[in-house]
Amino acid sequence: MAFWWPLIVIAIAFAICKLLLMLIPDNVPSIDVDTSDVLDDGNQAKDNSFIYIPSRRHTDKVQCYEPATMKYLGYFPALKPDEVKERVVQARKAQKIWAKSSFKQRRLFLRILLKYIIEHQDLICNISSRDTGKTMVDASLGEIMTTCEKIHWLLSEGEKWLKPEYRSCGRSMLHKVAKVEFSPLGVVGAIVSWNYPFHNIFNPMLAAVFSGNSIVIKVSEHASWSGCFYLRIIQTALAAVGAPENLVEVITGFAETGEALVSSVDKIIFVGSPGVGKKIMRSASDTLIPVTLELGGKDAFIVCEDVDVPHVAQIAARGALQSSGQNCAGAERFYVHKDVYSSFVAEIVKIVKSVTAGPPLSGKYDMGAICMQEHSERLQYLVNDALDKGAEIVARGSVGNIGEGAVDQYFPPTVVVNVNHTMKLMQEEAFGPILPIMKFSSDEEVVQLANDSSYGLGCAVFSGSQRRARHIASQLHCGGAAINDFASNYMCQSLPFGGVKDSGFGRFAGIEGLRACCLVKSVVEDRWWPFIKTKIPKPIQYPIAENGFEFQESLVHTLYGLNIWDRLRALVNVLKILSEQPPAPTSNRRRND
């Protein structure tokens, strides 16, 4: 027992020291970001207070409006290709300076951002809500928490995963040291979607900047207003740590803006639809830059018969209805075991009937507006196609008072049963608050159903047996799985995020996403330089000896033979061949003797 006491005392002392260090406030500077033009204080200028109907025709301006009220927010320029390329040139100059920055400086940048985010959660969520129609709670879950978690992970582990990683040298290179170095790529380009405007900007930006890159981000034309304000936060924090100007840029525009970005940068990250993702790949092939694509999803939500039905139904509703279907890992296909199908549907119906969509900033509605104009018509089209093929609507939520004069961009939460895979609702990404629920009879059947999709982003599997849930999830062809939970892997920022099939490829987040912003370089050097150096054995020096191949053959047996006695016999032959080699001929070329 006496042996353990010192270890216990040391452990307690270490824990106390850690606690005391946590109590000491960090000396992190505060930043002051101008918010005068984004706060809706009721005193907006007349030009920025009218109800706006967006034009279908793309112009030289990106017009911005609140989806929930259609109130006009202003506009930003649709940058032309030469303007985009100039932004990239400036970012490239800044990157060459930033690449020499210390991890201490980069961590201070992250701490300043984290402090600002925590102290201004209401502001950030308010702006995301106004620009995309999501509720404040959904903005907090998807924008604030995920971003804070990513910053915390980078602060804790980022430097460790960017340091040189030493690897095994193998048998033939025992006298060498092998390592992998991770250096910045240069200028990273990102084209991001509208659904989480804050997190979708910060997610690639944090990884790129922390790994020593600059980044130019094209934000969606449906979320440019918030994106340009979030850039102001980033640039203010960078200035506070003495970073060069133009290290992070946000650009606005339409397709040609994005195409110009792809053709100018050293890597492209794209979050969007499979159709546009294919165009990105074709453009990237011209310059052969690496591409990360996070495309659509049609995640399967599987409910076995041995679950707590009310508990799982609440999680299912959150997965399907969050942010009016804006969740990038959204549950869009529900497979429920036949033995609990009726009770599960009844629970979902009860929840959905209590859900109301309405102006998100009023604070009393569960869901906000659909961000993209006319998307509600597409959602109704998918529902109608299912109804025409035999499906049935068993419940719809309600839409609250959206205000006089506002354009209706709300879609009520909808529960659809008797669905099958002939229906577009079960095959095409909906991105809306619809719960199509289908029965299954066996684990084998549900695996087959879940894999019957062109998408493969994620899945959620619920069972009273964790082993059973793991077994089902292990057979699903997708990029991530949550066992007895929904989308929890996205909150674990140490994990990579991405999909397969039409959901894209490559990963962001985690070690893989961080290193994907780097040039991965293999380095080999002598372990005991200059005392032991690589020397070409005489049998294979030029001119190669007659028994050169015999030497090589014996050397391979010596190093990799499966039997120790065979390796020893081969080693004897190697030594014999070396001892029989004549001395190197003396050069007979003499000049000016």
Side-chain angles (χ1 to χ4, degrees):
M1 185 65 181
F3 172 76
W4 292 104
W5 272 112
L7 295 179
I8 294 172
V9 171
I10 292 172
I12 293 173
F14 179 77
I16 292 173
C17 290
K18 290 280 285 186
L19 178 61
L20 291 175
L21 287 172
M22 290 174 64
L23 296 175
I24 299 173
D26 280 334
N27 185 23
V28 178
S30 296
I31 56 174
D32 183 21
V33 180
D34 180 17
T35 61
S36 59
D37 58 339
V38 294
L39 292 178
D40 185 6
D41 56 5
N43 297 316
Q44 286 182 307
K46 185 176 180 180
D47 289 344
N48 280 32
S49 62
F50 59 87
I51 302 301
Y52 177 71
I53 306 300
S55 170
R56 292 175 181 270
R57 183 175 62 86
H58 288 176
T59 65
D60 59 348
K61 297 178 182 179
V62 178
Q63 307 281 8
C64 305
Y65 57 92
E66 292 183 6
T69 63
M70 298 307 293
K71 183 184 293 184
Y72 185 59
L73 294 171
Y75 70 87
F76 293 92
L79 297 187
K80 301 301 180 185
D82 57 337
E83 295 174 301
V84 174
K85 291 177 181 179
E86 178 58 28
R87 298 285 183 97
V88 173
V89 167
Q90 296 304 316
R92 197 173 299 282
K93 292 177 181 177
Q95 189 275 329
K96 293 184 186 304
I97 300 171
W98 183 250
K100 302 173 184 176
S101 64
S102 66
F103 281 110
K104 181 180 179 181
Q105 186 180 11
R106 298 176 195 181
R107 279 193 295 270
L108 180 58
F109 166 62
L110 296 188
R111 289 192 177 98
I112 291 172
L113 282 179
L114 183 59
K115 182 178 182 179
Y116 184 88
I117 293 168
I118 293 171
E119 293 177 351
H120 297 83
Q121 297 178 57
D122 182 82
L123 170 68
I124 294 167
C125 292
N126 182 289
I127 288 174
S128 281
S129 176
R130 290 183 66 191
D131 209 17
T132 66
K134 67 178 64 183
T135 64
M136 294 287 283
V137 169
D138 285 340
S140 177
L141 287 169
E143 305 273 38
I144 301 297
M145 288 189 68
T146 49
T147 303
C148 289
E149 184 63 35
K150 187 175 187 70
I151 293 175
H152 175 73
W153 178 77
L154 283 169
L155 287 170
S156 302
E157 301 184 34
E159 181 179 355
K160 177 177 73 173
W161 296 114
L162 291 176
K163 284 185 175 179
E165 183 176 285
Y166 288 86
R167 304 283 179 89
S168 167
C169 292
R171 290 181 176 175
S172 62
M173 292 286 126
L174 287 175
H175 60 298
K176 298 286 188 179
V177 173
K179 62 182 177 180
V180 181
E181 293 180 346
F182 304 94
S183 55
L185 279 173
V187 182
V188 176
I191 301 175
V192 299
S193 61
W194 52 266
N195 56 334
Y196 287 102
F198 182 75
H199 179 67
N200 285 347
I201 288 175
F202 274 68
N203 186 30
M205 181 279 296
L206 290 167
V209 170
F210 192 80
S211 55
N213 297 281
S214 60
I215 185 168
V216 180
I217 307 167
K218 183 206 172 289
V219 291
S220 169
E221 56 267 36
H222 302 290
S224 295
W225 180 74
S226 58
C228 290
F229 172 72
Y230 297 145
L231 171 66
R232 198 179 301 168
I233 299 173
I234 296 166
Q235 290 183 332
T236 306
L238 285 170
V241 300
E245 292 184 8
N246 309 119
L247 188 69
V248 177
E249 287 283 357
V250 165
I251 60 175
T252 52
F254 301 104
E256 71 168 358
T257 307
E259 290 169 2
L261 182 64
V262 175
S263 66
S264 308
V265 294
D266 302 304
K267 173 187 171 69
I268 193 72
I269 299 170
F270 174 73
V271 181
S273 68
V276 178
K278 292 176 182 178
K279 293 179 181 178
I280 296 289
M281 279 197 69
R282 282 194 287 269
S283 297
S285 68
D286 291 337
T287 49
L288 293 177
I289 58 170
V291 178
T292 295
L293 299 178
E294 196 269 280
L295 308 177
K298 196 75 179 172
D299 290 7
F301 191 106
I302 297 172
V303 182
C304 297
E305 76 280 4
D306 52 357
V307 300
D308 178 349
V309 171
H311 168 72
V312 177
Q314 274 290 339
I315 297 175
R318 167 57 66 182
L321 307 181
Q322 181 170 331
S323 304
S324 306
Q326 293 173 18
N327 196 330
C328 60
E332 289 210 351
R333 297 178 292 152
F334 295 83
Y335 300 103
V336 180
H337 194 279
K338 63 179 182 179
D339 292 348
V340 292
Y341 184 82
S342 297
S343 58
F344 181 84
V345 170
E347 287 291 333
I348 288 291
V349 166
K350 183 167 60 175
I351 293 169
V352 165
K353 284 185 175 179
S354 71
V355 173
T356 304
L361 290 176
S362 68
K364 62 181 180 180
Y365 295 105
D366 306 288
M367 287 171 39
I370 299 294
C371 181
M372 293 185 295
Q373 194 183 35
E374 299 182 350
H375 188 62
S376 57
E377 284 83 350
R378 168 169 166 71
L379 296 178
Q380 191 59 53
Y381 163 76
L382 294 175
V383 171
N384 291 342
D385 175 76
L387 297 177
D388 291 343
K389 295 174 180 175
E392 178 186 357
I393 295 176
V394 292
R396 296 197 97 161
S398 58
V399 175
N401 178 22
I402 61 173
E404 294 183 7
V407 176
D408 185 358
Q409 292 209 154
Y410 299 86
F411 193 87
T414 304
V415 183
V416 185
V417 298
N418 299 330
V419 293
N420 59 60
H421 281 208
T422 67
M423 301 170 183
K424 290 183 172 63
L425 184 58
M426 295 296 282
Q427 294 292 341
E428 298 180 12
E429 184 178 35
F431 230 60
I434 306 173
L435 292 88
I437 309 175
M438 186 174 179
K439 293 180 185 177
F440 72 89
S441 301
S442 67
D443 293 0
E444 293 75 17
E445 180 188 13
V446 78
V447 168
Q448 183 178 7
L449 288 169
N451 283 332
D452 180 26
S453 173
S454 60
Y455 295 101
L457 189 56
C459 69
V461 183
F462 291 80
S463 171
S465 166
Q466 199 160 345
R467 180 179 179 182
R468 178 186 179 190
R470 283 199 304 264
H471 182 65
I472 293 173
S474 68
Q475 299 176 76
L476 303 186
H477 193 42
C478 59
I483 307 298
N484 285 321
D485 203 350
F486 168 74
S488 52
N489 47 344
Y490 199 73
M491 278 302 296
C492 299
Q493 283 292 316
S494 64
L495 296 176
F497 183 82
V500 295
K501 300 190 283 189
D502 280 2
S503 291
F505 60 86
R507 297 292 183 265
F508 54 77
I511 303 162
E512 293 79 2
L514 183 61
R515 289 178 170 178
C517 293
C518 298
L519 168 63
V520 181
K521 184 184 296 182
S522 300
V523 179
V524 179
E525 59 184 303
D526 287 304
R527 188 184 300 272
W528 297 291
W529 174 269
F531 306 106
I532 298 179
K533 308 175 185 177
T534 299
K535 186 176 181 180
I536 306 294
K538 289 182 180 179
I540 57 173
Q541 289 182 6
Y542 291 117
I544 296 174
E546 292 182 1
N547 57 356
F549 180 74
E550 180 186 355
F551 170 81
Q552 276 298 118
E553 192 175 33
S554 297
L555 184 61
V556 170
H557 277 291
T558 301
L559 292 171
Y560 309 111
L562 301 179
N563 183 291
I564 185 63
W565 301 113
D566 289 342
R567 291 170 63 188
L568 287 173
R569 281 193 293 269
L571 177 59
V572 170
N573 197 42
V574 166
L575 297 174
K576 179 182 176 183
I577 294 173
L578 288 173
S579 65
E580 292 176 349
Q581 291 303 304
T586 303
S587 175
N588 58 3
R589 292 179 297 169
R590 297 190 178 187
R591 300 178 181 176
N592 303 323
D593 283 351

